[in-house]
Each structure stands twice: as C-alpha cells, then as structure tokens.
Amino acid sequence: MAEVKIGIIGTGVMGSDHAAILAEGVANARLTAVQDLSRERAIAVGEASGARVFAGADELIADPDIDAVMVCSPDETHAALALKAIAAGKPVLVEKPLAAGIEDAEAIISAETNAGRRLVQVGFMRRFDPGFREMKHTLQSGELGHALFLHCIHRNAVAPDYLTSDLVIANSAGHEFDIARFLLDEEIASAFVTSPPPTRNAPNRQPQFILLRTASGVVIDIEVFTDAQYGYDVRAELVCEDGTVSLDPSPHTMLRAKGHDGFRTPPDWRPRFRQAYRAQLEAWTSGILTGQPTGASAWDGFMAMQVTKACLQAWRSGERVAVPQHEKPDSY
Ligand code: ISE
C-alpha cells in the first residue's frame, strides 16, 4: 500500500474538518469516501474533496477500495462502527469518546485483541500538539524533578444547548483525562468534582471543577467552562520539584485592534489544535503503512472513560470516588 485510502463516516463539525485537512494534503493519505446521515452534508464535503459519497456506513466500511475508516458520527454510534471496521480488518480512527458506555468500550478491546493487532486509534489529538509534547519531553528529561501538580483550564466561548453538565464532564473534560495520563504516564486513581451554579449565559449547565489524584500522588485540577464567551482557551501548567512548564498561548501573531492589544483567542478548538489534528492524521496513516501504530489506543480510550465514570459519580455524590484500575492487556 503506497497511500492510505480513507473513508470518513460522519461529515459534521469534526468529519468535515478532517476532510478539509486531508484535502489540503497529508503525506501518504487520500480521502476517497464520505458518508453522513444527511446526504446533502456528505455531498457538500464529497464535492469539496473529490471523495465518493456513500449512502450507508456499512457499505463504506466494506468497500475494497477503502483502506481505513474515520468515525466522526455521534458518540452513541462510535462503538458499533468501530466493531464493524475491526471485523473488516480495517484500521479505524474513532473520534473521542471511544464509546458511549464502558461495556461497549470493553467489547472494542476484546474484538481488537482477538483480531491480533492494533486497529483502533482514538482521536485524542492533544497528544500531537507541539506544546503538550514539549511538556511531556521536559518532564521525561528529569531536569525539573518529578511532577507535583498539573493545573488545567478548558474554556469554550459557547456550547450547544444539548450539552448538559454531565456532558461537560463526559465529552469536554475527556481531553484533560487523556492528556494527564499521557503527560504523567500513569493512571488516575481518584476523582472529586464540584461546580458553581449555572451562568446567565447557559442556565441549563454548570461549569465544572475536577480534582484528580494519580496513583503516585500527583494532584490535577481541571476547570471546564464551556460558556466563557471570550473564546477558546486551553491552558496547562505542570509544576515540578524544580520548576514549572506551561503551554504558550498558541497563536503565532499578536493583534492590536478595537481596544485590544495582545494574543488572539481562537473561536473554537479547530484553529487552536489545527496542527495537532494534522499531525494526528499523519501519525495515523504512517502507523498504518509501517505497522507501528501510535496515538491513543482503545485502551487509552477505555481508561479515559473510567475516569469520566468516576467523575460523574463524584459529581452526583459530592464524594471522592476511586477510579477502578485494570490490568492492561499485553497487546497494548
Ligand atoms: C468538544 O467537545 C471537542 O470535542 C473538542 O475537541 C474540545 O476541544 C472542545 O472543547 C469540546 O467542547
């Protein structure tokens, strides 16, 4: 295989963004097919990228001219589609979360284990962000000693009405659960969640403040505020024994205009993590070609979901909740 022919299922916000990046050109990758429940939406993306439009997801997965599949459809469809891709022996990049429920995530892990090779990657793109990678590298170098605290902020300008307080934890904070495991290279052991009342801009959900502790005792705090109005803002500072390392505001330019002098704030996560999304696609396709997968595995997706589940219990009970620990299968 000289290049990976990719089919995207779901051409909403994320599917069309991935399609646009692929259409710009990603080494060794070509978008050849798209499918969406809304045929018009799929046709629009197909026309812009030169990809064939499929009527159904099953046909797309089965098509012999498609080497690998991206699942960008709604969360509750992720597991069934990932299982079909595994059954067809095709690599699949599943947007996060891996599945809507823990049992479905377990089914993916056993199907992949039975298939005998890693076929699933989860779209935790922050692992490919240059800032987060440098932070991990700094920690691993040992120059700052060991980690004590990880402070995280995750703010969106606005969020859709369907986003409930539960989904703020299950959908948005999932990125922090994964990046904390990735940076610190250890599991989250416990979770506590507290929240201020809803804001006047989003009376149907609460911002969340999540406190995690890792197995070795690193303390992680995460503010997730999806209605911060001013823009998309992701921050992180890793505090170690001999210094700290934190993310730079990502833009490469400053702006002076309309009473403003400083960094631009992106409207949402797509421009902020554009480089990471592109690098994720490059790593995914080169992993397919070389047989050396990188990126978040189904196991990482499953463990992030365990943290989500503990956080939801902690939020409802007001108690600190232990995150169940599992033996990682050898295949991961
Ligand atoms: C959203 O759900 C996402 O999936 C994005 O990746 C994330 O950065 C954003 O803040 C979430 O709300």
Side-chain angles (χ1 to χ4, degrees):
M1 205 196 294
E3 68 174 359
V4 181
K5 285 174 266 156
I6 297 171
I8 295 183
I9 299 173
T11 52
V13 176
M14 282 323 303
S16 54
D17 201 53
H18 290 304
I21 297 174
L22 284 165
E24 276 169 17
V26 169
N28 307 317
R30 189 153 56 91
L31 177 63
T32 54
V34 291
Q35 185 274 336
D36 194 285
L37 275 187
S38 153
R39 196 158 166 81
E40 296 89 79
R41 209 156 65 169
I43 289 173
V45 174
E47 278 174 359
S49 57
R52 282 161 70 198
V53 177
F54 279 69
D58 291 2
E59 289 165 52
L60 183 150
I61 294 171
D63 193 285
D65 206 34
I66 290 166
D67 304 316
V69 179
M70 296 180 73
V71 173
C72 309
S73 45
D75 296 358
E76 57 283 2
T77 64
H78 288 185
L81 293 167
L83 287 169
K84 284 179 185 166
I86 296 170
K90 295 193 179 177
V92 55
L93 176 61
V94 186
E95 263 304 334
K96 55 93 213 166
L98 173 60
I102 295 271
E103 278 152 30
D104 286 341
E106 279 167 343
I108 292 172
I109 287 170
S110 29
E112 194 181 35
T113 306
N114 292 337
R117 65 191 171 113
R118 255 189 69 183
L119 288 166
V120 180
Q121 183 172 321
V122 182
F124 282 128
M125 78 300 180
R126 289 188 186 182
R127 290 178 177 232
F128 296 94
D129 177 71
F132 279 117
R133 289 182 90 84
E134 203 171 300
M135 203 180 252
K136 182 174 171 81
H137 185 73
T138 305
L139 178 64
Q140 280 178 333
S141 75
E143 65 179 289
L144 301 183
H146 71 246
L148 305 172
F149 299 103
L150 175 62
H151 304 297
C152 303
I153 286 180
H154 180 157
R155 296 186 191 136
N156 301 71
V158 289
D161 284 345
Y162 67 75
L163 199 88
T164 56
S165 295
D166 276 19
L167 283 175
V168 172
I169 295 173
N171 208 299
S172 301
H175 282 294
E176 272 75 21
F177 304 156
D178 181 68
I179 206 68
R181 291 182 63 251
F182 171 74
L183 289 173
L184 301 169
D185 217 1
E186 60 170 331
E187 296 301 343
I188 311 296
S190 69
F192 175 78
V193 182
T194 185
S195 22
T199 68
R200 62 183 173 188
N201 298 307
N204 59 331
R205 58 180 161 257
Q206 288 171 267
Q208 302 292 346
F209 187 80
I210 300 169
L211 205 55
L212 306 174
R213 211 180 149 87
T214 67
S216 77
V218 180
V219 173
I220 303 161
D221 62 272
I222 308 166
E223 172 202 310
V224 194
F225 181 21
T226 58
D227 303 282
Q229 307 299 306
Y230 67 89
Y232 186 72
D233 191 6
V234 164
R235 303 185 204 175
E237 181 177 25
L238 184 63
V239 181
C240 302
E241 292 171 294
D242 292 334
T244 91
V245 52
S246 48
L247 292 183
D248 222 13
S250 71
H252 302 295
T253 54
M254 308 263 288
L255 182 72
R256 284 190 194 98
K258 295 181 190 153
H260 167 97
D261 180 357
F263 291 111
R264 291 168 190 265
T265 309
D268 67 38
W269 61 91
R270 288 166 296 173
R272 165 65 182 85
F273 285 111
R274 183 81 171 181
Q275 233 179 314
Y277 281 118
R278 166 171 283 282
Q280 173 179 253
L281 279 170
E282 282 165 1
W284 181 52
T285 48
S286 79
I288 293 169
L289 291 172
T290 59
Q292 303 288 321
T294 53
S297 65
W299 182 258
D300 295 313
F302 169 70
M303 288 310 294
M305 289 176 64
Q306 293 286 2
V307 182
T308 299
K309 192 174 168 193
C311 285
L312 289 171
Q313 278 171 15
W315 186 56
R316 292 200 184 99
S317 66
E319 308 279 319
R320 181 162 136 168
V321 171
V323 179
Q325 301 299 310
H326 297 265
E327 182 106 3
K328 183 151 85 169
D330 292 341
S331 45
Y332 296 99

